[in-house]
Amino acid sequence: MNETDRLTADVLVVGGGTAGFGAAVTAGRLGLDVYLVEASNKIGGVMAFCPGMPWGAAYPCNTPIGGLMTELSDRLSAMHPPAAAKRPCTLENFGPEIQYDHDIATLTMFEMLEEAGVDVRLNTTAVAPVMDVNRIGTVDFFDRSGSHVITPKMVIDCSGDGDISAKAGVPYTLGDGAGNMMGVTLSFQMFDANWDRIFADADPYFRRFAAKGIAEGRLHGDLAQLYLMKGFYKDTVFCNSVVIRGVDGTNPVDVARATQEGRRRCHQLAQFLRSDIPGFENSRMTYLGPTVGVRETRKLEGAYKVTGEDLARATKFPDGIVCCDNPIDDVMRASSEMTHDAMVHDGAYYTIPLRSLVPKVVENLMFAGRIICADPVAFASVRGMPQCMAMGQATGTAAAIAIHNGLAVQDVNPDEVVAALQAQGINGLGKEPLQNE
Ligand SMILES: Cc1cc2nc3c(=O)[nH]c(=O)nc-3n(C[C@H](O)[C@H](O)[C@H](O)COP(=O)(O)OP(=O)(O)OC[C@H]3O[C@@H](n4cnc5c(N)ncnc54)[C@H](O)[C@@H]3O)c2cc1C
């Protein structure tokens, strides 16, 4: 019989990815008693699974989105030597992004959680909520010492996959609605590469090299475009190329199989880079991800669904909680197609509404990050890490308002949340749109 712990908290944050980090730090700073449970041994989520992946879309209108994302990158940039920098993206339609030292960023995120007084439980998995009519009464979770129960006033689901929300009865769709989910990716970096020679090539996707590798049977057929980006440190290259299709990211067996297949393809690709692309001759593979990064699984039903039309119209919602100008980054859903079409045009941006993070019925649950309520087109844009962090920040803020006023999440005044986020330094909200810098 496992030992059972009984805990209480103001807020339980499920999942320590960028969204969970944002939610937990914010709720902690607002004086709440917060537990953050994270199933893996690190915070960061996809950021930890794909080490070195840049923080994209943090500069709509060339202006920082503000809030925790900007605070974190400023803190890293101010270090000696700097541990982060704003740089242009070498791929088409992506704006500037933040490159950073992965280990120092992770350390700093842990420090910010500590400073906010958050009780972080790693290697800890939330299993199921126990409902009390329209509220989550308790949540069962486990770690290696056994099973435990927590009674939170509020649950913020930042798990990427939304297991707890789904079990609490929140309706959802999978992937594009027909069950096709974007491909998963195992990433790695090449060290001791020669940037000047590699990025002298006119094609940012190295298609001519890839075609030769595929034709000769040395690369998998899905590697028609090689996503190679300059890493944070000189002569390091981040390789976001190996995509495995048809994987259900909610199924751990599928994810483990995809990771093993990914290891094979990454090794093959690293050998190909060394032998075929000028500038990689003396480089070596490092920072192979511990597991594949999962882009898309459940999309929860919220009070509002963000749509592709909202993005095309550059909609600024009255309850907008963060600005975004990411392209439509669609990665191998039903076919081997990859797109990153600009949805909003130069200098334009849209905002993500708070209502897309609030369920219709459950009164003490919110969700943030890639489980946002969005249609498949909008999802392909809204899911960047800076936006996920800000969604977490918004739900942490709304949680504090709900708890302090004894309100259901559906009754929280969005104007109050937006005003609080503005006071926390998030830019471009309410009646203060971003100006092109
Ligand atoms: C390959 C790839 C490339 C990408 N490229 C970029 C890019 O260049 N720039 C960019 O900004 N964004 C990029 N993205 C998108 C971005 O990384 C994700 O959308 C974002 O990180 C999602 O954050 P999240 O916090 O919502 O979820 P996740 O990062 O998925 O975090 C969820 C966390 O919850 C934990 N968890 C799950 N279930 C439970 C449970 N039951 N109990 C406890 N813990 C649980 C998981 O272990 C995980 O740590 C990319 C994504 C992928 C996969």
Side-chain angles (χ1 to χ4, degrees):
M1 185 77 150
N2 287 330
E3 179 194 340
T4 298
D5 263 346
R6 291 201 158 264
L7 306 173
T8 56
D10 291 323
V11 177
L12 171 67
V13 178
V14 179
T18 39
F21 165 79
V25 169
T26 304
R29 285 182 179 180
L30 292 170
L32 300 178
D33 182 19
V34 184
Y35 278 92
L36 168 60
V37 297
E38 165 50 48
S40 74
N41 59 2
K42 222 171 159 184
I43 53 162
V46 173
M47 175 193 152
F49 307 147
C50 304
M53 194 161 59
W55 294 321
Y59 294 92
C61 285
N62 210 24
T63 304
I65 58 166
L68 275 182
M69 181 74 254
T70 302
E71 182 184 330
L72 173 61
S73 60
D74 285 353
R75 194 157 158 165
L76 295 171
S77 305
M79 291 179 179
H80 300 287
K86 174 187 171 192
R87 305 222 179 115
C89 180
T90 45
L91 307 178
E92 60 191 346
N93 293 329
F94 290 92
E97 49 194 18
I98 305 166
Q99 297 276 0
Y100 53 89
D101 178 303
H102 174 78
D103 293 312
I104 300 175
T106 306
L107 167 67
T108 307
M109 289 166 77
F110 271 113
E111 284 175 345
M112 288 169 74
L113 286 160
E114 274 174 358
E115 289 158 12
V118 176
D119 193 331
V120 179
R121 302 285 180 106
L122 298 179
N123 300 307
T124 302
T125 303
V127 184
V130 176
M131 300 304 291
D132 178 5
V133 196
N134 287 337
R135 295 181 65 80
I136 294 177
T138 58
V139 175
D140 298 333
F141 66 98
F142 74 91
D143 58 21
R144 61 178 293 182
S145 69
S147 56
H148 313 270
V149 176
I150 185 164
T151 307
K153 290 181 187 154
M154 182 73 63
V155 177
I156 307 181
D157 188 343
C158 299
S159 63
D161 299 327
D163 293 8
I164 296 301
S165 300
K167 288 177 186 166
V170 179
Y172 63 86
T173 53
L174 271 180
D176 63 2
N180 302 306
M181 293 174 253
M182 289 189 197
V184 301
T185 286
L186 196 67
S187 72
F188 61 97
Q189 294 191 43
M190 295 299 277
F191 273 29
D192 295 331
N194 183 321
W195 277 358
D196 293 341
R197 292 179 59 224
I198 294 165
F199 295 103
D201 199 279
D203 177 7
Y205 303 107
F206 301 87
R207 280 172 281 223
R208 152 180 115 259
F209 295 101
K212 178 167 173 274
I214 293 169
E216 292 171 359
R218 291 189 293 142
L219 290 182
H220 189 275
D222 282 348
L223 280 164
Q225 303 196 134
L226 301 182
Y227 286 76
L228 304 173
M229 289 166 267
K230 289 180 182 174
F232 176 61
Y233 290 108
K234 182 165 170 26
D235 290 339
T236 63
V237 177
F238 179 69
C239 302
N240 194 22
S241 309
V242 171
V243 181
I244 322 283
R245 287 195 265 156
V247 177
D248 178 354
T250 64
N251 179 339
V253 178
D254 256 27
V255 169
R257 280 203 195 109
T259 302
Q260 180 60 356
E261 174 59 20
R263 287 186 186 109
R264 251 188 294 278
R265 292 191 205 170
C266 286
H267 183 227
Q268 207 174 33
L269 174 59
Q271 286 178 309
F272 177 82
L273 296 177
R274 281 167 54 93
S275 60
D276 282 62
I277 301 195
F280 278 110
E281 296 86 348
N282 300 315
S283 63
R284 67 202 152 85
M285 182 170 86
T286 183
Y287 267 135
L288 180 66
T291 180
V292 285
V294 175
R295 290 182 172 85
E296 178 181 42
T297 52
R298 292 191 181 94
K299 293 184 185 61
L300 299 172
E301 184 180 292
Y304 184 81
K305 183 185 279 185
V306 191
T307 65
E309 290 80 45
D310 291 331
L311 274 53
R313 283 190 224 111
T315 308
K316 278 87 178 162
F317 293 94
D319 62 336
I321 48 96
V322 63
C323 301
C324 185
D325 66 349
N326 236 0
I328 306 298
D329 188 17
D330 189 348
V331 185
M332 298 192 189
R333 266 190 184 122
S335 68
S336 60
E337 281 288 294
M338 314 239 303
T339 66
H340 16 85
D341 303 333
M343 191 61 169
V344 288
H345 300 289
D346 278 350
Y349 66 93
Y350 61 91
T351 62
I352 296 175
L354 179 67
R355 285 163 296 156
S356 58
L357 311 175
V358 176
K360 287 181 177 165
V361 176
V362 186
E363 294 171 1
N364 63 340
L365 170 71
M366 283 178 282
F367 35 85
R370 63 183 176 86
I371 44 180
I372 180 176
C373 183
D375 76 8
V377 175
F379 173 80
S381 171
V382 297
R383 62 197 179 86
M385 287 183 278
Q387 279 67 31
C388 289
M389 202 179 286
M391 291 182 221
Q393 185 163 359
T395 52
T397 303
I401 294 171
I403 290 171
H404 289 144
N405 297 291
L407 297 172
V409 290
Q410 294 79 13
D411 297 328
V412 169
N413 179 353
D415 295 346
E416 213 178 317
V417 178
V418 170
L421 292 173
Q422 287 174 310
Q424 292 168 26
I426 297 214
N427 296 321
L429 308 185
K431 296 194 167 70
E432 293 172 17
L434 295 180
Q435 305 298 327
N436 246 320
E437 278 195 354

